[in-house]
């Protein structure tokens, strides 16, 4: 596995390989878990060589504390990627990615304004900009994103379409812990008690899914079902619970089988968790 930190060096190397090999890419912020690794394995199946980036992108954090406390373990991440047989790992610094004087950003429209876009101002501008830059550096033919961050996946797909970027975007299934909790690097910041409270998210979403078996419930009913599973304690606060069109993220007026995305963001203690399910 080759580790490169300089954007220029990696870009030079990738431009030499482009057209000769199918380049797969998995962008991450590190502190890798099985969810990330499933993306890497998926990329390996669909390409000749795989690049993984480890970069905690400062510009996508609207909350400074969240950025400062974002968990990191570079050594362990590199070992996991080596064990999987990843070809290149890209580990730039913030200065490498944003040298002084940078003036350009990428902004995606409507699809980035709902859900997390509404509660985290500037977040998706940061995401779109860094992913666009990473695509220019890595020159991938294929990039894999997890459906855990469903809105992010749609934002990237929209950007790629609008800017004619020559990369195929692949959406990978959300990976859960055995007890249902959606895997996330931020889970490491939960105390044992908070982790138990956090199970309410997946329980609520699974209950909503179960309620659609063989019948079409109203959205009000589904709201009630999900909310009933979210613990009513001070340290747990729902940021949003939305029922939206899985293609556009526009709010739905009624349940539509196969098109209804339930998206949930909940603050549990110090951590904001997101989860979703397609009904
Ligand atoms: P992050 O390191 O959180 O920026 O995530 C990097 C990539 O991994 C994104 O495409 C995420 O959607 C994906 N990812 C994170 N957690 C999961 C999960 N539990 N299941 C599937 N993909 C995930």
């Amino acid at each position: 596995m080759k580790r490169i930190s300089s954007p220029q060096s990696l870009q030079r190397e990738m431009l030499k390989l482009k057209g000769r090999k199918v380049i797969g890419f998995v962008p991450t912020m590190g502190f890798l878990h099985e969810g990330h690794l499933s993306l890497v394995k998926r990329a390996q199946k669909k390409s000749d060589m795989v690049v993984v980036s480890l970069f905690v992108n400062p510009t996508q954090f609207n909350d400074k504390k969240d950025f400062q406390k974002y968990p990191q373990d570079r050594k362990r991440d590199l070992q996991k990627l080596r064990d999987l047989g990843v070809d290149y790992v890209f580990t730039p610094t913030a200065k490498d990615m944003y040298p002084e004087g940078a003036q350009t950003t990428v902004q995606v429209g409507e699809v980035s304004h709902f859900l997390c876009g509404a509660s985290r101002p500037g977040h998706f501008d940061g995401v779109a900009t860094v992913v666009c830059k990473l695509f220019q550096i890595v020159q991938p033919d294929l990039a894999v994103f997890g459906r855990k961050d469903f809105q992010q996946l749609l934002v990237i797909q929209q950007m790629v379409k609008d800017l004619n970027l020559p990369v195929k975007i692949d959406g990978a299934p959300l990976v859960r812990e055995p007890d249902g909790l959606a895997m996330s690097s931020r889970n490491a910041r939960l105390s044992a008690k908070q982790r138990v409270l956090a199970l309410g998210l997946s329980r609520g979403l699974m209950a909503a899914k179960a309620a659609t078996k063989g019948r079409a419930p109203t959205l009000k009913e589904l709201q009630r079902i999900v909310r009933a599973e979210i613990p009513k304690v001070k340290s747990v606060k729902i940021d949003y619970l939305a029922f939206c069109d899985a293609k556009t993220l526009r709010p739905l007026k009624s349940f539509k089988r196969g098109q209804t995305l339930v998206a949930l963001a909940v603050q549990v203690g110090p951590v904001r968790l997101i989860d979703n399910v397609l009904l």
Side-chain angles (χ1 to χ4, degrees), residues 27-30 33 35-36 38-39 70 144-149 152 172-175 182-185:
T28 82
M29 297 206 295
H33 50 65
H36 294 116
S38 74
L39 269 50
Y70 199 83
V144 185
F145 290 82
R147 274 185 235 129
K148 155 83 171 20
D149 301 272
Q152 171 172 278
L174 194 165
V175 178
M183 287 194 183
S184 163
S185 306

Side-chain angles (χ1 to χ4, degrees), residues 56-268:
V56 185
N57 174 37
T59 67
Q60 72 187 68
F61 286 83
N62 55 314
D63 175 355
K64 214 170 154 191
K65 232 188 191 157
D66 186 31
F67 174 62
Q68 287 162 348
K69 299 234 159 144
Y70 199 83
Q72 269 181 290
D73 190 338
R74 185 48 61 77
K75 223 173 127 186
R76 206 186 58 178
D77 287 348
L78 291 173
Q79 192 53 50
K80 285 185 177 180
L81 297 176
R82 222 175 274 125
D83 290 346
L84 278 185
V86 162
D87 301 274
Y88 286 87
V89 57
F90 180 44
T91 53
T93 63
K95 265 220 173 104
D96 290 328
M97 290 301 281
Y98 304 108
E100 246 183 65
Q103 299 186 18
T104 308
T105 57
V106 179
Q107 269 184 21
V108 177
E110 189 189 30
V111 71
S112 76
H113 297 155
F114 305 110
L115 311 177
C116 288
S119 42
R120 301 182 68 189
H123 168 65
F124 285 117
D125 297 351
V127 169
T129 303
V130 79
V131 171
C132 190
K133 283 169 67 70
L134 287 168
F135 283 176
Q136 301 312 308
I137 295 163
V138 176
Q139 300 281 322
D141 299 288
L142 167 90
V144 185
F145 290 82
R147 274 185 235 129
K148 155 83 171 20
D149 301 272
F150 198 95
Q151 186 173 20
Q152 171 172 278
L153 172 63
L154 295 192
V155 167
I156 299 302
Q157 278 171 338
Q158 189 69 45
M159 172 184 81
V160 162
K161 190 171 166 212
D162 293 347
L163 298 182
N164 302 89
L165 303 182
V167 52
K168 184 173 179 291
I169 303 301
D170 181 45
L174 194 165
V175 178
R176 299 182 179 281
E177 300 284 359
D179 60 8
L181 183 67
M183 287 194 183
S184 163
S185 306
R186 287 186 175 91
N187 292 349
R189 294 187 54 212
L190 295 169
S191 69
K193 259 193 194 149
Q194 289 161 348
R195 201 189 169 292
V196 173
L197 296 172
L199 288 175
L201 279 84
S202 52
R203 238 183 10 241
L205 296 178
M206 294 316 130
K209 179 116 188 150
T212 64
K213 284 233 165 82
R215 55 187 286 269
T218 64
L219 294 188
K220 247 198 177 141
E221 195 181 332
L222 289 171
Q223 275 262 7
R224 256 197 314 273
I225 288 170
V226 179
R227 280 181 184 270
E229 298 296 336
I230 308 295
K232 286 164 195 64
V233 295
K234 234 180 151 185
S235 57
V236 175
K237 231 180 101 199
I238 296 180
D239 176 5
Y240 62 73
L241 165 59
F243 296 84
C244 39
D245 183 289
K247 283 215 174 84
T248 62
L249 297 188
R250 288 183 192 137
L252 284 177
K253 291 209 170 74
S254 62
F255 169 66
K256 291 200 172 69
R257 191 171 299 279
Q259 294 175 47
T260 305
L261 181 82
V262 192
L264 181 57
V266 180
Q267 186 79 29
V268 179

